[in-house]
Amino acid sequence: MPSEFDVIARYFTRPAPNGTLGVGDDCALFPVPAGMQIATSKDLLIEGRHFYPDVDPEALGHKALAVNLSDLAAMGAKPIGCLLGLALPGVDEPWLAAFARGFHALADTHGCALIGGDTTRSSRDLTISVTVFGAVAAQHALRRDGARVGDHVWVSGALGAADIAYRLLDGQLPADEERLAATRRALEWPMPRVELGLALAGLAHAAIDISDGLVQDLGHVLSASRVGAQLQFDALPVAAALQGLDHDTRIRAVLGGGDVYELCFTAAAENEDRIRQAAANVGVPVTRIGHVTEASGLQVLASDGRPMAALPRGFDHFPGS
Ligand code: ADP
Ligand code: MG
């Protein structure tokens, strides 16, 4: 069986970018671009909670980094590098090779090289923790507390597909092979909106990436900014794969569904054209879904113009506590 050091050397040691000291020493070293601040974030993925034990390891490697890059995107930060923590129940080389392939491919796409980490044995389950580093000019960072009354509220991409795939796989929705095929990619291969985040830095007022559901995540922006918002349900970009599902399932998926990794952001109304141009330049669809209000709370207007009564709360690891 390969040792811990064989695993690191075979699967997680790659040439570090110029000027960077990568895997192999006590710490990694990387230069901080002049005038910028470091944006850093960590996500933890636990077997049985964030992924199924039999998930495609290449997709898992991709997603472990994607969810972190999505946080950099939501801050408007440019990726610099990342750290990978792995607790492995054993050494399964084909599994590690596929995991590393998915991880490094996305890292290469976004110039976010793996520069260090930690590898240990776990007694049972697999745990993955990724930390990313990015750079952003402090005054351009897309913080959650920057939304202003009168701002437009925007969202990138389309909503709902990952939630439907998750609920099909989890048996909460009746088996439907065709719909699973149409939604599974959204769940397992999310594409972090790094380029869009960079294009919005200094242009939008506030942003968040949707990991726990639009209602919940936009709610974080609204409370941090001490404002409210009104959205039009009919304006929301619903993933095409949701067609034909009953109304309640769609509402739940679109407003409460997690694992979306699209950006929800607010920007001054007069910047509407610039926002559309910036999004077009990076080839990401964006949709205006509502506006920021002085009255606190989130209102979603249904087709008849009336506020929807109960909004899905989205995901919470400790509900009710
Ligand atoms: P230390 O004992 O100083 O913590 P380790 O033996 O844990 O060092 O790690 C040796 C080197 O390998 C370090 O540079 C560390 O950052 C890197 N490393 C360990 N595990 C990983 C991993 N999963 N991915 C990337 N780099 C790793
Ligand atoms: Mg170590």
Side-chain angles (χ1 to χ4, degrees):
M1 177 134 122
S3 73
E4 172 192 335
F5 303 101
D6 295 333
V7 167
I8 297 168
R10 271 178 218 164
Y11 303 109
F12 302 114
T13 304
R14 317 238 10 251
N18 269 344
T20 294
L21 180 64
V23 171
D25 213 313
D26 298 313
C27 288
L29 298 173
F30 60 83
V32 179
M36 307 288 253
Q37 291 198 318
I38 295 293
T40 183
S41 177
K42 169 192 286 294
D43 270 303
L44 198 54
L45 277 80
I46 314 261
E47 178 178 328
R49 187 153 286 279
H50 299 98
F51 59 90
Y52 295 102
D54 61 349
V55 71
D56 170 12
E58 188 171 351
L60 186 60
H62 169 96
K63 188 164 175 178
L65 180 58
V67 300
N68 282 277
L69 285 172
S70 181
D71 284 318
L72 289 183
M75 212 64 192
K78 187 176 169 57
I80 294 178
C82 60
L83 304 176
L84 170 63
L86 276 178
L88 303 167
V91 175
D92 173 343
E93 292 213 67
W95 189 96
L96 280 166
F99 177 88
R101 194 161 60 239
F103 191 99
H104 294 311
L106 187 66
D108 290 347
T109 300
H110 294 289
C112 190
L114 180 61
I115 55 174
D118 201 22
T119 307
T120 72
R121 180 189 284 276
S122 74
S123 41
R124 202 173 46 125
D125 292 339
L126 172 66
T127 302
I128 305 163
S129 172
V130 176
T131 302
V132 281
F133 301 98
V136 64
Q139 72 276 17
H140 290 164
L142 300 171
R143 296 165 51 132
R144 294 182 181 183
D145 60 3
R148 300 182 206 165
V149 174
D151 275 2
H152 287 158
V153 180
W154 297 81
V155 72
S156 66
L159 303 169
D163 181 66
I164 296 303
Y166 168 72
R167 295 180 65 198
L168 285 166
L169 289 169
D170 201 48
Q172 296 176 36
L173 289 172
D176 181 341
E177 283 304 319
E178 209 173 310
R179 203 178 299 278
L180 181 59
T183 52
R184 194 168 188 159
R185 227 184 139 71
L187 179 68
E188 295 182 347
W189 292 88
M191 288 300 170
R193 300 301 198 181
V194 175
E195 296 298 321
L196 179 64
L198 288 171
L200 294 174
L203 180 57
H205 283 153
I208 193 165
D209 64 317
I210 306 176
S211 52
D212 297 328
L214 175 65
V215 164
Q216 188 172 128
D217 288 318
L218 175 56
H220 294 314
V221 170
L222 302 180
S223 24
S225 303
R226 299 167 185 278
V227 292
Q230 191 179 72
L231 308 183
Q232 247 84 36
F233 187 79
D234 290 343
L236 296 175
V238 180
L242 270 61
Q243 230 165 43
L245 283 168
D246 69 83
H247 193 58
D248 286 353
T249 304
R250 280 162 59 96
I251 288 182
R252 197 191 130 142
V254 169
L255 292 177
D259 266 326
V260 181
Y261 303 108
E262 294 293 348
L263 297 184
C264 177
F265 55 98
T266 85
E270 72 252 28
N271 279 336
E272 172 158 4
D273 291 344
R274 292 177 67 197
I275 296 283
R276 290 195 193 282
Q277 193 56 56
N281 288 346
V282 295
V284 177
V286 292
T287 309
R288 209 182 115 189
I289 59 173
H291 65 277
V292 174
T293 60
E294 197 169 346
S296 66
L298 177 63
Q299 239 184 20
V300 183
L301 303 184
S303 310
D304 61 6
R306 293 204 196 138
M308 293 167 63
L311 298 178
R313 280 183 58 195
F315 190 76
D316 182 346
H317 278 282
F318 302 102
S321 61

